[in-house]
Amino acid sequence: MDLLRGASIFLVTFNHAILFSVEFGGAPLVAQVANQALAPVRMPLMVFMSGLLVGPSLAKGWRPYVSGKARRVLYPYVVWSVIVFLMRSIGDPSGMVARAPEFLLAVAIEPVSHLWFL
């Protein structure tokens, strides 16, 4: 289980490294080819591993499950959404602060940029 979880984390990290290497001249061709070859495995493996772990979590009952999700997912999501909002607001000439209610409503239904996975 830990080996598969580590492998899925590595594959996602490897993909991001390849994607962001474009800014620095790109990744070696062999890394790009390996990344493309692993694409059909990367996210299905992560979703499969998540599915294996949800059963024992649900077996504890709905209250511990929901409170655990609130602590481990909702709380970081809210904190980082506020941080992203503040970072976008600093020195924003287009008036991000004036659009705060719209932004906060959007956060409730659509994750902000890099928080999509939460």
Side-chain angles (χ1 to χ4, degrees):
M1 181 76 140
D2 287 340
L3 180 65
L4 286 177
R5 189 177 348 184
S8 69
I9 292 168
F10 172 78
L11 291 175
V12 170
T13 305
F14 182 69
N15 179 53
H16 283 95
I18 298 301
L19 292 175
F20 292 111
S21 70
V22 172
E23 295 176 23
F24 303 102
L29 182 59
V30 67
Q32 294 177 28
V33 170
N35 188 46
Q36 286 299 322
L38 294 168
V41 176
R42 183 175 38 250
M43 290 311 289
L45 178 60
M46 188 165 276
V47 170
F48 174 73
M49 295 302 296
S50 296
L52 285 178
L53 299 172
V54 82
S57 295
L58 288 173
K60 296 176 186 174
W62 71 271
R63 284 187 180 166
Y65 179 78
V66 170
S67 70
K69 292 299 174 199
R71 266 192 334 273
R72 293 186 184 103
V73 179
L74 184 61
Y75 177 72
Y77 178 74
V78 170
V79 168
W80 282 105
S81 294
V82 169
I83 290 170
V84 168
F85 172 76
L86 292 174
M87 289 177 64
R88 289 182 180 177
S89 298
I90 295 173
D92 180 17
S94 65
M96 180 72 167
V97 175
R99 295 190 320 264
E102 296 169 24
F103 179 83
L104 295 175
L105 181 61
V107 163
I109 58 175
E110 183 179 344
V112 179
S113 63
H114 66 283
L115 300 175
W116 65 269
F117 61 90
L118 292 175

